[in-house]
mmCIF file of all heavy atoms in Angstrom:
data_model
loop_
_atom_site.group_PDB
_atom_site.id
_atom_site.type_symbol
_atom_site.label_atom_id
_atom_site.label_comp_id
_atom_site.label_asym_id
_atom_site.label_seq_id
_atom_site.Cartn_x
_atom_site.Cartn_y
_atom_site.Cartn_z
ATOM 1 N N SER A 1 153.890 154.317 121.574
ATOM 2 C CA SER A 1 154.072 155.679 121.082
ATOM 3 C C SER A 1 154.340 156.583 122.342
ATOM 4 O O SER A 1 153.876 156.272 123.401
ATOM 5 C CB SER A 1 152.846 156.222 120.359
ATOM 6 O OG SER A 1 151.694 156.175 121.216
ATOM 7 N N PRO A 2 155.091 157.620 122.162
ATOM 8 C CA PRO A 2 155.393 158.494 123.305
ATOM 9 C C PRO A 2 154.147 158.998 123.926
ATOM 10 O O PRO A 2 153.092 159.256 123.283
ATOM 11 C CB PRO A 2 156.223 159.662 122.685
ATOM 12 C CG PRO A 2 156.772 159.031 121.425
ATOM 13 C CD PRO A 2 155.730 158.088 120.952
ATOM 14 N N GLY A 3 154.199 159.117 125.317
ATOM 15 C CA GLY A 3 153.013 159.623 126.036
ATOM 16 C C GLY A 3 153.363 160.101 127.384
ATOM 17 O O GLY A 3 154.551 160.159 127.783
ATOM 18 N N ALA A 4 152.284 160.320 128.170
ATOM 19 C CA ALA A 4 152.510 160.914 129.507
ATOM 20 C C ALA A 4 153.302 160.085 130.415
ATOM 21 O O ALA A 4 154.111 160.570 131.230
ATOM 22 C CB ALA A 4 151.125 161.207 130.140
ATOM 23 N N ALA A 5 153.154 158.713 130.344
ATOM 24 C CA ALA A 5 153.857 157.800 131.189
ATOM 25 C C ALA A 5 155.370 157.983 131.104
ATOM 26 O O ALA A 5 156.128 157.695 132.079
ATOM 27 C CB ALA A 5 153.444 156.363 130.926
ATOM 28 N N ASP A 6 155.830 158.373 129.930
ATOM 29 C CA ASP A 6 157.278 158.550 129.750
ATOM 30 C C ASP A 6 157.892 159.649 130.597
ATOM 31 O O ASP A 6 159.135 159.714 130.726
ATOM 32 C CB ASP A 6 157.605 158.856 128.256
ATOM 33 C CG ASP A 6 157.175 157.634 127.419
ATOM 34 O OD1 ASP A 6 157.374 156.484 127.800
ATOM 35 O OD2 ASP A 6 156.663 157.857 126.292
ATOM 36 N N THR A 7 157.054 160.513 131.128
ATOM 37 C CA THR A 7 157.616 161.594 132.071
ATOM 38 C C THR A 7 157.684 161.124 133.533
ATOM 39 O O THR A 7 158.194 161.888 134.296
ATOM 40 C CB THR A 7 156.691 162.827 131.917
ATOM 41 O OG1 THR A 7 155.417 162.526 132.518
ATOM 42 C CG2 THR A 7 156.414 163.213 130.507
ATOM 43 N N LEU A 8 157.177 160.018 133.793
ATOM 44 C CA LEU A 8 157.221 159.535 135.169
ATOM 45 C C LEU A 8 158.588 158.949 135.559
ATOM 46 O O LEU A 8 159.385 158.609 134.670
ATOM 47 C CB LEU A 8 156.201 158.398 135.436
ATOM 48 C CG LEU A 8 154.696 158.816 135.252
ATOM 49 C CD1 LEU A 8 153.750 157.491 135.241
ATOM 50 C CD2 LEU A 8 154.279 159.797 136.374
ATOM 51 N N SER A 9 158.802 158.789 136.839
ATOM 52 C CA SER A 9 159.987 158.096 137.330
ATOM 53 C C SER A 9 159.920 156.635 136.861
ATOM 54 O O SER A 9 158.855 156.108 136.542
ATOM 55 C CB SER A 9 160.088 158.151 138.882
ATOM 56 O OG SER A 9 159.026 157.344 139.460
ATOM 57 N N ASP A 10 161.050 155.938 136.869
ATOM 58 C CA ASP A 10 161.072 154.535 136.448
ATOM 59 C C ASP A 10 160.094 153.707 137.308
ATOM 60 O O ASP A 10 159.348 152.867 136.777
ATOM 61 C CB ASP A 10 162.439 153.955 136.577
ATOM 62 C CG ASP A 10 163.423 154.530 135.462
ATOM 63 O OD1 ASP A 10 162.943 155.140 134.475
ATOM 64 O OD2 ASP A 10 164.604 154.355 135.666
ATOM 65 N N GLU A 11 160.119 153.874 138.610
ATOM 66 C CA GLU A 11 159.287 153.125 139.530
ATOM 67 C C GLU A 11 157.831 153.398 139.236
ATOM 68 O O GLU A 11 157.007 152.407 139.144
ATOM 69 C CB GLU A 11 159.566 153.496 140.940
ATOM 70 C CG GLU A 11 158.837 152.664 142.007
ATOM 71 C CD GLU A 11 159.068 153.087 143.417
ATOM 72 O OE1 GLU A 11 159.771 154.098 143.601
ATOM 73 O OE2 GLU A 11 158.617 152.422 144.317
ATOM 74 N N ALA A 12 157.437 154.592 139.040
ATOM 75 C CA ALA A 12 156.043 154.874 138.723
ATOM 76 C C ALA A 12 155.650 154.455 137.447
ATOM 77 O O ALA A 12 154.475 153.930 137.216
ATOM 78 C CB ALA A 12 155.813 156.417 138.833
ATOM 79 N N ARG A 13 156.456 154.545 136.412
ATOM 80 C CA ARG A 13 156.143 154.139 135.048
ATOM 81 C C ARG A 13 155.931 152.530 135.085
ATOM 82 O O ARG A 13 155.029 152.024 134.456
ATOM 83 C CB ARG A 13 157.277 154.461 134.081
ATOM 84 C CG ARG A 13 156.906 154.140 132.614
ATOM 85 C CD ARG A 13 157.820 154.814 131.701
ATOM 86 N NE ARG A 13 159.277 154.470 131.929
ATOM 87 C CZ ARG A 13 160.115 155.310 132.384
ATOM 88 N NH1 ARG A 13 159.776 156.541 132.804
ATOM 89 N NH2 ARG A 13 161.395 154.960 132.604
ATOM 90 N N ARG A 14 156.804 151.857 135.733
ATOM 91 C CA ARG A 14 156.668 150.300 135.854
ATOM 92 C C ARG A 14 155.296 149.993 136.482
ATOM 93 O O ARG A 14 154.543 149.117 136.081
ATOM 94 C CB ARG A 14 157.799 149.734 136.660
ATOM 95 C CG ARG A 14 159.157 149.755 135.938
ATOM 96 C CD ARG A 14 160.161 148.820 136.547
ATOM 97 N NE ARG A 14 160.326 149.113 138.028
ATOM 98 C CZ ARG A 14 161.314 149.904 138.434
ATOM 99 N NH1 ARG A 14 162.167 150.449 137.551
ATOM 100 N NH2 ARG A 14 161.457 150.102 139.705
ATOM 101 N N LEU A 15 154.958 150.699 137.557
ATOM 102 C CA LEU A 15 153.708 150.440 138.232
ATOM 103 C C LEU A 15 152.520 150.745 137.396
ATOM 104 O O LEU A 15 151.591 149.897 137.290
ATOM 105 C CB LEU A 15 153.640 151.344 139.498
ATOM 106 C CG LEU A 15 152.383 151.126 140.360
ATOM 107 C CD1 LEU A 15 152.351 149.757 140.970
ATOM 108 C CD2 LEU A 15 152.442 152.228 141.515
ATOM 109 N N LEU A 16 152.531 151.847 136.612
ATOM 110 C CA LEU A 16 151.386 152.083 135.776
ATOM 111 C C LEU A 16 151.272 151.172 134.681
ATOM 112 O O LEU A 16 150.145 150.626 134.362
ATOM 113 C CB LEU A 16 151.567 153.579 135.222
ATOM 114 C CG LEU A 16 150.512 154.072 134.220
ATOM 115 C CD1 LEU A 16 149.107 154.137 135.001
ATOM 116 C CD2 LEU A 16 150.859 155.428 133.705
ATOM 117 N N HIS A 17 152.387 150.765 134.003
ATOM 118 C CA HIS A 17 152.307 149.840 132.896
ATOM 119 C C HIS A 17 151.799 148.419 133.409
ATOM 120 O O HIS A 17 151.043 147.763 132.696
ATOM 121 C CB HIS A 17 153.709 149.628 132.318
ATOM 122 C CG HIS A 17 154.072 150.848 131.377
ATOM 123 N ND1 HIS A 17 155.346 151.136 130.973
ATOM 124 C CD2 HIS A 17 153.259 151.874 130.879
ATOM 125 C CE1 HIS A 17 155.373 152.120 130.223
ATOM 126 N NE2 HIS A 17 154.106 152.668 130.156
ATOM 127 N N ALA A 18 152.241 148.035 134.608
ATOM 128 C CA ALA A 18 151.789 146.760 135.135
ATOM 129 C C ALA A 18 150.327 146.775 135.426
ATOM 130 O O ALA A 18 149.591 145.798 135.226
ATOM 131 C CB ALA A 18 152.613 146.402 136.404
ATOM 132 N N ALA A 19 149.846 147.945 135.989
ATOM 133 C CA ALA A 19 148.398 148.073 136.330
ATOM 134 C C ALA A 19 147.602 147.954 135.020
ATOM 135 O O ALA A 19 146.534 147.368 134.971
ATOM 136 C CB ALA A 19 148.149 149.306 137.040
ATOM 137 N N GLN A 20 148.074 148.697 133.987
ATOM 138 C CA GLN A 20 147.317 148.710 132.767
ATOM 139 C C GLN A 20 147.221 147.271 132.128
ATOM 140 O O GLN A 20 146.205 146.882 131.624
ATOM 141 C CB GLN A 20 148.079 149.673 131.735
ATOM 142 C CG GLN A 20 147.838 151.070 132.123
ATOM 143 C CD GLN A 20 148.691 152.053 131.209
ATOM 144 O OE1 GLN A 20 149.815 151.693 130.761
ATOM 145 N NE2 GLN A 20 148.185 153.211 130.928
ATOM 146 N N ARG A 21 148.368 146.534 132.213
ATOM 147 C CA ARG A 21 148.355 145.175 131.643
ATOM 148 C C ARG A 21 147.517 144.273 132.468
ATOM 149 O O ARG A 21 146.903 143.297 132.011
ATOM 150 C CB ARG A 21 149.769 144.653 131.563
ATOM 151 C CG ARG A 21 149.917 143.333 130.745
ATOM 152 C CD ARG A 21 149.599 143.522 129.300
ATOM 153 N NE ARG A 21 150.450 144.499 128.671
ATOM 154 C CZ ARG A 21 151.618 144.209 128.154
ATOM 155 N NH1 ARG A 21 152.080 142.873 128.115
ATOM 156 N NH2 ARG A 21 152.341 145.150 127.517
ATOM 157 N N GLY A 22 147.438 144.454 133.825
ATOM 158 C CA GLY A 22 146.654 143.570 134.671
ATOM 159 C C GLY A 22 145.203 143.871 134.717
ATOM 160 O O GLY A 22 144.406 143.186 135.305
ATOM 161 N N TRP A 23 144.776 144.972 134.048
ATOM 162 C CA TRP A 23 143.372 145.357 133.961
ATOM 163 C C TRP A 23 142.652 144.455 133.084
ATOM 164 O O TRP A 23 142.680 144.667 131.880
ATOM 165 C CB TRP A 23 143.201 146.861 133.527
ATOM 166 C CG TRP A 23 141.827 147.403 133.625
ATOM 167 C CD1 TRP A 23 140.784 147.084 132.763
ATOM 168 C CD2 TRP A 23 141.258 148.335 134.534
ATOM 169 N NE1 TRP A 23 139.706 147.743 133.110
ATOM 170 C CE2 TRP A 23 139.914 148.544 134.182
ATOM 171 C CE3 TRP A 23 141.796 149.009 135.625
ATOM 172 C CZ2 TRP A 23 139.077 149.350 134.856
ATOM 173 C CZ3 TRP A 23 140.995 149.819 136.316
ATOM 174 C CH2 TRP A 23 139.621 150.055 135.965
ATOM 175 N N MET A 24 141.965 143.408 133.643
ATOM 176 C CA MET A 24 141.285 142.387 132.776
ATOM 177 C C MET A 24 139.767 142.521 132.879
ATOM 178 O O MET A 24 139.081 141.694 132.301
ATOM 179 C CB MET A 24 141.713 141.013 133.240
ATOM 180 C CG MET A 24 143.064 140.646 132.929
ATOM 181 S SD MET A 24 143.144 139.820 131.273
ATOM 182 C CE MET A 24 142.363 138.210 131.709
ATOM 183 N N PHE A 25 139.286 143.655 133.468
ATOM 184 C CA PHE A 25 137.846 143.616 133.808
ATOM 185 C C PHE A 25 136.975 143.941 132.572
ATOM 186 O O PHE A 25 135.727 143.745 132.658
ATOM 187 C CB PHE A 25 137.626 144.633 134.924
ATOM 188 C CG PHE A 25 138.607 144.498 136.093
ATOM 189 C CD1 PHE A 25 139.693 145.303 136.286
ATOM 190 C CD2 PHE A 25 138.388 143.412 136.915
ATOM 191 C CE1 PHE A 25 140.594 145.107 137.306
ATOM 192 C CE2 PHE A 25 139.358 143.188 137.980
ATOM 193 C CZ PHE A 25 140.398 144.063 138.113
ATOM 194 N N ASP A 26 137.604 144.460 131.544
ATOM 195 C CA ASP A 26 136.850 144.720 130.289
ATOM 196 C C ASP A 26 137.206 143.792 129.169
ATOM 197 O O ASP A 26 136.831 143.992 128.036
ATOM 198 C CB ASP A 26 137.024 146.183 129.885
ATOM 199 C CG ASP A 26 138.506 146.546 129.701
ATOM 200 O OD1 ASP A 26 139.318 145.681 130.015
ATOM 201 O OD2 ASP A 26 138.776 147.688 129.350
ATOM 202 N N ASP A 27 137.880 142.646 129.507
ATOM 203 C CA ASP A 27 138.318 141.661 128.551
ATOM 204 C C ASP A 27 138.287 140.278 129.126
ATOM 205 O O ASP A 27 139.228 139.568 129.032
ATOM 206 C CB ASP A 27 139.751 142.003 128.097
ATOM 207 C CG ASP A 27 140.157 141.317 126.814
ATOM 208 O OD1 ASP A 27 139.245 140.670 126.199
ATOM 209 O OD2 ASP A 27 141.352 141.306 126.453
ATOM 210 N N MET A 28 137.086 139.900 129.645
ATOM 211 C CA MET A 28 136.959 138.593 130.247
ATOM 212 C C MET A 28 137.061 137.487 129.304
ATOM 213 O O MET A 28 137.230 136.332 129.728
ATOM 214 C CB MET A 28 135.636 138.548 130.987
ATOM 215 C CG MET A 28 135.523 139.547 132.171
ATOM 216 S SD MET A 28 136.849 139.364 133.475
ATOM 217 C CE MET A 28 136.354 137.799 134.138
ATOM 218 N N GLY A 29 136.980 137.747 127.982
ATOM 219 C CA GLY A 29 137.168 136.664 127.040
ATOM 220 C C GLY A 29 138.433 135.911 127.121
ATOM 221 O O GLY A 29 138.535 134.807 126.676
ATOM 222 N N GLN A 30 139.480 136.547 127.660
ATOM 223 C CA GLN A 30 140.753 136.013 127.741
ATOM 224 C C GLN A 30 140.808 134.847 128.780
ATOM 225 O O GLN A 30 141.775 134.075 128.781
ATOM 226 C CB GLN A 30 141.838 136.974 128.098
ATOM 227 C CG GLN A 30 142.075 137.995 126.977
ATOM 228 C CD GLN A 30 143.368 138.698 127.106
ATOM 229 O OE1 GLN A 30 144.370 138.150 127.521
ATOM 230 N NE2 GLN A 30 143.458 140.008 126.720
ATOM 231 N N TRP A 31 139.805 134.695 129.538
ATOM 232 C CA TRP A 31 139.667 133.586 130.498
ATOM 233 C C TRP A 31 139.298 132.279 129.781
ATOM 234 O O TRP A 31 139.548 131.201 130.286
ATOM 235 C CB TRP A 31 138.703 133.827 131.595
ATOM 236 C CG TRP A 31 139.282 134.726 132.669
ATOM 237 C CD1 TRP A 31 139.061 136.100 132.772
ATOM 238 C CD2 TRP A 31 140.230 134.356 133.703
ATOM 239 N NE1 TRP A 31 139.828 136.542 133.877
ATOM 240 C CE2 TRP A 31 140.460 135.535 134.443
ATOM 241 C CE3 TRP A 31 140.785 133.178 134.098
ATOM 242 C CZ2 TRP A 31 141.304 135.532 135.556
ATOM 243 C CZ3 TRP A 31 141.646 133.156 135.193
ATOM 244 C CH2 TRP A 31 141.862 134.277 135.896
ATOM 245 N N GLY A 32 138.643 132.386 128.609
ATOM 246 C CA GLY A 32 138.172 131.252 127.936
ATOM 247 C C GLY A 32 136.975 130.578 128.595
ATOM 248 O O GLY A 32 136.455 131.108 129.584
ATOM 249 N N PRO A 33 136.646 129.373 128.160
ATOM 250 C CA PRO A 33 135.424 128.690 128.718
ATOM 251 C C PRO A 33 135.775 127.953 130.048
ATOM 252 O O PRO A 33 135.924 126.723 130.151
ATOM 253 C CB PRO A 33 135.048 127.649 127.665
ATOM 254 C CG PRO A 33 136.427 127.373 126.973
ATOM 255 C CD PRO A 33 137.206 128.630 127.042
ATOM 256 N N LEU A 34 135.835 128.758 131.178
ATOM 257 C CA LEU A 34 136.121 128.127 132.452
ATOM 258 C C LEU A 34 134.956 127.286 132.885
ATOM 259 O O LEU A 34 133.805 127.652 132.788
ATOM 260 C CB LEU A 34 136.316 129.246 133.514
ATOM 261 C CG LEU A 34 137.699 130.007 133.467
ATOM 262 C CD1 LEU A 34 137.676 131.084 134.520
ATOM 263 C CD2 LEU A 34 138.859 129.125 133.625
ATOM 264 N N LYS A 35 135.296 126.089 133.390
ATOM 265 C CA LYS A 35 134.267 125.181 133.960
ATOM 266 C C LYS A 35 134.580 124.938 135.436
ATOM 267 O O LYS A 35 135.498 124.127 135.676
ATOM 268 C CB LYS A 35 134.193 123.897 133.157
ATOM 269 C CG LYS A 35 133.781 124.124 131.715
ATOM 270 C CD LYS A 35 133.706 122.708 130.983
ATOM 271 C CE LYS A 35 133.234 122.925 129.591
ATOM 272 N NZ LYS A 35 133.117 121.621 128.819
ATOM 273 N N VAL A 36 133.990 125.645 136.270
ATOM 274 C CA VAL A 36 134.319 125.560 137.715
ATOM 275 C C VAL A 36 133.030 125.482 138.558
ATOM 276 O O VAL A 36 131.890 125.838 138.085
ATOM 277 C CB VAL A 36 135.120 126.808 138.202
ATOM 278 C CG1 VAL A 36 136.442 126.831 137.500
ATOM 279 C CG2 VAL A 36 134.336 128.078 137.898
ATOM 280 N N ASP A 37 133.187 125.017 139.813
ATOM 281 C CA ASP A 37 132.003 124.936 140.640
ATOM 282 C C ASP A 37 131.812 126.140 141.464
ATOM 283 O O ASP A 37 132.605 127.106 141.369
ATOM 284 C CB ASP A 37 132.154 123.660 141.588
ATOM 285 C CG ASP A 37 133.465 123.692 142.390
ATOM 286 O OD1 ASP A 37 134.039 124.760 142.504
ATOM 287 O OD2 ASP A 37 133.906 122.664 142.901
ATOM 288 N N GLU A 38 130.806 126.172 142.266
ATOM 289 C CA GLU A 38 130.456 127.429 142.989
ATOM 290 C C GLU A 38 131.541 127.902 143.968
ATOM 291 O O GLU A 38 131.896 129.021 143.952
ATOM 292 C CB GLU A 38 129.134 127.240 143.783
ATOM 293 C CG GLU A 38 128.666 128.406 144.578
ATOM 294 C CD GLU A 38 128.310 129.609 143.709
ATOM 295 O OE1 GLU A 38 127.990 129.355 142.485
ATOM 296 O OE2 GLU A 38 128.330 130.719 144.208
ATOM 297 N N PRO A 39 132.153 127.020 144.728
ATOM 298 C CA PRO A 39 133.263 127.451 145.613
ATOM 299 C C PRO A 39 134.467 128.055 144.780
ATOM 300 O O PRO A 39 135.101 128.958 145.251
ATOM 301 C CB PRO A 39 133.658 126.167 146.318
ATOM 302 C CG PRO A 39 132.426 125.310 146.348
ATOM 303 C CD PRO A 39 131.837 125.614 145.029
ATOM 304 N N THR A 40 134.724 127.426 143.621
ATOM 305 C CA THR A 40 135.828 127.995 142.822
ATOM 306 C C THR A 40 135.496 129.355 142.278
ATOM 307 O O THR A 40 136.376 130.235 142.224
ATOM 308 C CB THR A 40 136.124 126.987 141.658
ATOM 309 O OG1 THR A 40 136.395 125.651 142.288
ATOM 310 C CG2 THR A 40 137.377 127.421 140.902
ATOM 311 N N TRP A 41 134.241 129.562 141.880
ATOM 312 C CA TRP A 41 133.798 130.889 141.394
ATOM 313 C C TRP A 41 133.938 131.886 142.551
ATOM 314 O O TRP A 41 134.381 133.094 142.259
ATOM 315 C CB TRP A 41 132.420 130.823 140.838
ATOM 316 C CG TRP A 41 132.248 130.507 139.414
ATOM 317 C CD1 TRP A 41 131.615 129.432 138.833
ATOM 318 C CD2 TRP A 41 132.826 131.235 138.280
ATOM 319 N NE1 TRP A 41 131.765 129.495 137.466
ATOM 320 C CE2 TRP A 41 132.520 130.609 137.097
ATOM 321 C CE3 TRP A 41 133.635 132.393 138.232
ATOM 322 C CZ2 TRP A 41 132.906 131.035 135.849
ATOM 323 C CZ3 TRP A 41 134.026 132.863 137.028
ATOM 324 C CH2 TRP A 41 133.683 132.255 135.826
ATOM 325 N N ARG A 42 133.587 131.523 143.679
ATOM 326 C CA ARG A 42 133.782 132.406 144.795
ATOM 327 C C ARG A 42 135.256 132.780 145.105
ATOM 328 O O ARG A 42 135.535 133.956 145.390
ATOM 329 C CB ARG A 42 133.148 131.833 146.148
ATOM 330 C CG ARG A 42 131.665 131.680 146.026
ATOM 331 C CD ARG A 42 131.062 131.177 147.368
ATOM 332 N NE ARG A 42 129.632 131.054 147.325
ATOM 333 C CZ ARG A 42 128.863 132.109 147.546
ATOM 334 N NH1 ARG A 42 129.277 133.245 147.857
ATOM 335 N NH2 ARG A 42 127.452 131.876 147.489
ATOM 336 N N ASP A 43 136.062 131.800 144.877
ATOM 337 C CA ASP A 43 137.504 132.066 145.020
ATOM 338 C C ASP A 43 138.027 132.983 143.935
ATOM 339 O O ASP A 43 138.798 133.926 144.148
ATOM 340 C CB ASP A 43 138.313 130.737 144.924
ATOM 341 C CG ASP A 43 139.785 130.901 145.092
ATOM 342 O OD1 ASP A 43 140.219 131.794 145.916
ATOM 343 O OD2 ASP A 43 140.585 130.205 144.436
ATOM 344 N N HIS A 44 137.513 132.822 142.693
ATOM 345 C CA HIS A 44 137.862 133.669 141.589
ATOM 346 C C HIS A 44 137.382 135.142 141.836
ATOM 347 O O HIS A 44 138.045 136.141 141.646
ATOM 348 C CB HIS A 44 137.217 133.168 140.312
ATOM 349 C CG HIS A 44 137.458 134.065 139.089
ATOM 350 N ND1 HIS A 44 136.536 135.081 138.746
ATOM 351 C CD2 HIS A 44 138.488 134.118 138.227
ATOM 352 C CE1 HIS A 44 137.062 135.628 137.656
ATOM 353 N NE2 HIS A 44 138.207 135.123 137.380
ATOM 354 N N ALA A 45 136.150 135.242 142.386
ATOM 355 C CA ALA A 45 135.595 136.532 142.706
ATOM 356 C C ALA A 45 136.435 137.278 143.865
ATOM 357 O O ALA A 45 136.669 138.427 143.741
ATOM 358 C CB ALA A 45 134.148 136.397 143.246
ATOM 359 N N ARG A 46 136.851 136.484 144.794
ATOM 360 C CA ARG A 46 137.735 137.077 145.860
ATOM 361 C C ARG A 46 139.056 137.614 145.311
ATOM 362 O O ARG A 46 139.467 138.673 145.609
ATOM 363 C CB ARG A 46 138.008 136.051 146.936
ATOM 364 C CG ARG A 46 138.914 136.487 148.072
ATOM 365 C CD ARG A 46 139.330 135.376 149.009
ATOM 366 N NE ARG A 46 140.119 134.340 148.302
ATOM 367 C CZ ARG A 46 141.421 134.468 148.021
ATOM 368 N NH1 ARG A 46 142.040 135.477 148.343
ATOM 369 N NH2 ARG A 46 141.978 133.437 147.395
ATOM 370 N N ARG A 47 139.691 136.802 144.432
ATOM 371 C CA ARG A 47 140.942 137.198 143.939
ATOM 372 C C ARG A 47 140.761 138.362 142.909
ATOM 373 O O ARG A 47 141.592 139.307 142.910
ATOM 374 C CB ARG A 47 141.597 136.037 143.182
ATOM 375 C CG ARG A 47 141.917 134.870 144.114
ATOM 376 C CD ARG A 47 142.636 133.830 143.328
ATOM 377 N NE ARG A 47 142.750 132.498 144.038
ATOM 378 C CZ ARG A 47 143.751 131.725 144.084
ATOM 379 N NH1 ARG A 47 144.836 132.046 143.368
ATOM 380 N NH2 ARG A 47 143.786 130.615 144.721
ATOM 381 N N SER A 48 139.650 138.361 142.153
ATOM 382 C CA SER A 48 139.402 139.412 141.234
ATOM 383 C C SER A 48 139.105 140.775 141.971
ATOM 384 O O SER A 48 139.528 141.862 141.498
ATOM 385 C CB SER A 48 138.135 139.108 140.347
ATOM 386 O OG SER A 48 138.387 137.978 139.555
#
């Protein structure tokens, strides 16, 4: 639906939409049942 983002430049609008889609911090269920060891969890934390 039309909104504030539509008033931005193309570059800014792309950046905002990408950031919104990449925000996974309140939807961790999309990762599913990960089975990883401690070093891998640390790697995940670093990337997150």
Side-chain angles (χ1 to χ4, degrees):
S1 58
D6 298 319
T7 68
L8 295 172
S9 68
D10 289 344
E11 183 181 9
R13 185 167 57 252
R14 291 195 300 267
L15 182 63
L16 181 61
H17 285 165
Q20 290 173 326
R21 190 65 60 86
W23 185 287
M24 287 271 289
F25 311 104
D26 52 359
D27 195 9
M28 296 301 292
Q30 292 198 35
W31 281 100
L34 287 177
K35 295 181 179 180
V36 294
D37 55 20
E38 181 65 22
T40 306
W41 270 120
R42 290 184 181 277
D43 182 37
H44 177 269
R46 177 188 63 78
R47 298 183 193 219
S48 295

